[in-house]
Amino acid sequence: MLDILSNHLYKSPDVFVRELMQNGVDAVTARRKRDTDWQEEDGRIDIRVAEGKQIFFRDNGAGLTQEEIHQFLAVIGQSSKRELVQGEMPTDFIGRFGIGLLSCFMVSDSIEVHTRSMAGESAYVWKGYADGTYTLEPLEDAPVGTEIILTAKEGSEQYYHPEKLKKLVQHYGLTLPVSIYLCGSDGHRELLNYRPEDYSSLSIDQLLSLGEWLFDGEHFIDAIPIQTPHLSGVAYIVGHQTDVSVKSGHRIHLKNMLLTEEGNPLLPEWAFFLRCFLNTDNLRPTASRENFYENDELELAQQEFAAAIQQHFAMLDQRKPDKLQQIVGIHYTAMKSMAVWNDEIFRLIIDYLPFTTSEGTMYGAALKQAGKAAVIGDIERFKQLKPMFIARDMLLICTGYSFDDELIHKMVKTYQLPIYPVQEESMELLLEDVTFEEKQEAFQALREINQSLREFDCKVELKRFYPVDLPALYYLSDDVAFLRQVQGAKEVSQGIFSETLTSLLQGVEERPLACLYLNCNSPLVRRLLQVTHERKLQSVAKVLYIHAMVTGGHTLHRQELQMLSKELLYMIDEETM
């Protein structure tokens, strides 16, 4: 049991410092509760180090009686705080499980406890060992409180140095309400922790200065004070783009003791652009005290956090719109994800969010005033259609990027915008009919081309469109796109699944056709339609079909790749004859 608790419950031996500070702070809290004349500022924790050998960790809290030693140090899972308030755990104590002291076995083979109770009993020395045995003896004299002595375990000597302990104390217990001192052999004492005042009373400059110190010099562009029933602290907005996968780098405390640097599960998924310095007094920790239980209280805290961020953005929208635009400009991916699920945030920041269009980057405010527009979710198709829309002075919006599709739909619904998906009706606006005479002249060539592309479920039509250097445009409906997906899946499938796909394809009575639009404005197409050699005409048409597929971002099937190789070989052979 000792091995499990001391070596497997915690992620790192570092936490032994956290557990010692926790016990010390709780002991001071207990003394304050029992002795109303004892002043709050009287509580303290002193740390001394015999470099590379021993650590002496002393508090002047309530101490332990002989009975409490047997009850709490010798029985795993007991806690000296449970009996203080009608057998229930008081909310102002950090500890909850009574097993934290055992984490010291990760860095020491023994734990020596010198303690004297404030109740006036004699002092005692308790020695516990990693094999589960312990001894208890009277101690001639000791001040009220508890001193824990650890002796360096082989391989753990790096923890027995003042600078290492100083770093760990400030990492875990920077805001603890009890003063923690590092005591030198020369009598010098260095205060290691600092507890900021109410964050909402600090100026932005003060908060930013604090954040830079807390997060090792990281630059922040804004600070959001958090003061809710469950949370207090600051959420900092980083000054550069961050990856959506970033979940760590926070400082989240329970009763002013660092609990976790992970954002989950307290912080929402979109918080990756924030670095949070938070404290909570009433959320429930897991057994290892390295995160929170997911319960109703945690859900309330999550809602409070999101509301605080939302209120701050509302303030910026009213008072500092340039600052809000700067934040959105850097963190638009996170902002977009927030706007998708939160209607209030959507209304606050939609005007500042960027979208990719045929006219370049346009912001939400401009799209709301742009009038009629088309929208397409395929990035490659967008690139293909973009020059055509530019030539016709029509607006095309690409929603193939994260959250853009949801946001454009939300804009259309919220503001009743005339924005529609690209469909056949939209294509007709881009394509001009050719004259009757032009159709007649191209009739024979188009018949040969249609025949050559029949095996690819594609028909050919002659149109005029821009730009002129785009010779052909491949368009497929949703039905055709589905059939191509089935065909592609069949090519890589075997056995019963392949047979099922074959049956599915054979079950289509009238297979829909894709359309290859040839651009009559293109010199290449006009020259192609004049070719009288049937085989050469079909060969060039097939290559042009592949060209249109590739420029449209469509995946080529095995049959189409084989056809391309075959036609290129034919052209080479024709050239060498």
Side-chain angles (χ1 to χ4, degrees), residues 355-560:
F355 297 90
T356 300
T357 77
S358 54
E359 298 182 9
T361 299
M362 293 182 66
Y363 292 90
L367 288 181
K368 287 160 63 174
Q369 304 297 324
K372 191 172 183 179
V375 62
I376 188 167
D378 188 306
I379 296 175
E380 294 302 324
R381 289 289 306 282
F382 166 78
K383 293 177 180 178
Q384 182 187 27
L385 295 177
K386 176 181 174 179
M388 300 177 63
F389 274 79
I390 292 175
R392 298 299 299 269
D393 196 24
M394 298 170 60
L395 182 63
L396 179 64
I397 305 169
C398 179
T399 59
Y401 301 97
S402 298
F403 310 112
D404 283 6
D405 187 60
E406 298 95 322
L407 288 173
I408 292 297
H409 278 86
K410 199 167 185 176
M411 286 182 67
V412 170
K413 183 178 180 180
T414 303
Y415 303 108
Q416 302 299 308
L417 301 180
I419 298 176
Y420 307 96
V422 171
Q423 296 176 339
E424 290 190 29
E425 298 79 31
S426 306
M427 295 298 298
E428 291 174 359
L429 296 175
L430 300 171
L431 306 173
E432 296 179 3
D433 287 331
V434 296
T435 65
F436 177 77
E437 290 77 11
E438 289 170 327
K439 284 184 179 179
Q440 287 295 102
E441 291 178 8
F443 177 79
Q444 183 62 32
L446 290 177
R447 187 174 69 174
E448 297 295 337
I449 296 173
N450 267 301
Q451 184 176 351
S452 68
L453 296 181
R454 186 177 303 166
E455 61 180 309
F456 303 110
D457 299 322
C458 181
K459 64 180 180 179
V460 179
E461 292 187 16
L462 186 62
K463 296 284 185 178
R464 289 186 182 275
F465 51 89
Y466 294 92
V468 296
D469 57 359
L470 182 65
L473 177 68
Y474 179 81
Y475 177 80
L476 72 170
S477 66
D478 292 340
D479 290 338
V480 178
F482 172 73
L483 282 181
R484 283 190 63 85
Q485 288 179 344
V486 174
Q487 290 167 346
K490 181 180 179 298
E491 287 183 356
V492 297
S493 302
Q494 297 179 349
I496 189 171
F497 186 58
S498 177
E499 295 174 4
T500 302
L501 293 174
T502 300
S503 300
L504 181 61
L505 291 172
Q506 292 174 346
V508 179
E509 295 182 4
E510 186 176 347
R511 297 174 73 163
L513 299 178
C515 190
L516 182 68
Y517 295 104
L518 297 181
N519 187 2
C520 197
N521 289 328
S522 166
L524 172 61
V525 171
R526 291 200 300 268
R527 179 70 183 88
L528 174 66
L529 296 177
Q530 295 172 3
V531 174
T532 57
H533 190 288
E534 180 179 324
R535 179 70 180 87
K536 184 180 294 186
L537 175 67
Q538 292 183 349
S539 181
V540 175
K542 289 178 180 179
V543 173
L544 197 58
Y545 164 79
I546 297 297
H547 177 270
M549 290 281 292
V550 173
T551 57
H554 301 287
T555 301
L556 297 179
H557 292 168
R558 184 185 304 131
Q559 180 187 10
E560 290 160 340

Side-chain angles (χ1 to χ4, degrees), residues 278-290:
L278 299 174
N279 180 65
T280 179
D281 289 330
N282 42 22
L283 295 182
R284 184 184 175 192
T286 57
S288 64
R289 286 188 293 280
E290 295 180 341

Side-chain angles (χ1 to χ4, degrees), residues 44 50 135 183 220 248 336 363 391 400 436 471 489 500 552:
R44 57 183 292 157
T135 62
C183 304
F220 300 109
S248 59
K336 286 182 176 182
Y363 292 90
F436 177 77
T500 302

Side-chain angles (χ1 to χ4, degrees), residues 169-170 173-180 191-197 199 202 206 210 213-214 256 277:
V169 167
Q170 292 184 329
L174 183 65
T175 64
L176 286 173
V178 175
S179 297
I180 303 174
L191 181 64
L192 300 183
N193 60 328
Y194 162 72
R195 191 179 190 185
E197 301 296 330
Y199 301 100
L202 298 179
Q206 289 174 316
L210 174 63
W213 179 68
L214 287 170
N256 295 298
F277 180 68

Side-chain angles (χ1 to χ4, degrees), residues 220-263:
F220 300 109
I221 57 175
D222 203 4
I224 307 173
I226 307 292
Q227 196 66 48
T228 75
H230 286 86
L231 302 170
S232 64
V234 191
Y236 292 98
I237 300 178
V238 300
H240 56 84
Q241 282 191 349
T242 55
D243 192 270
V244 67
S245 63
V246 175
K247 308 297 182 185
S248 59
H250 305 283
R251 303 287 297 277
I252 300 175
H253 299 71
L254 174 64
K255 298 182 177 68
N256 295 298
M257 177 73 76
L258 182 70
L259 186 82
T260 181
E261 296 179 87
E262 299 293 325

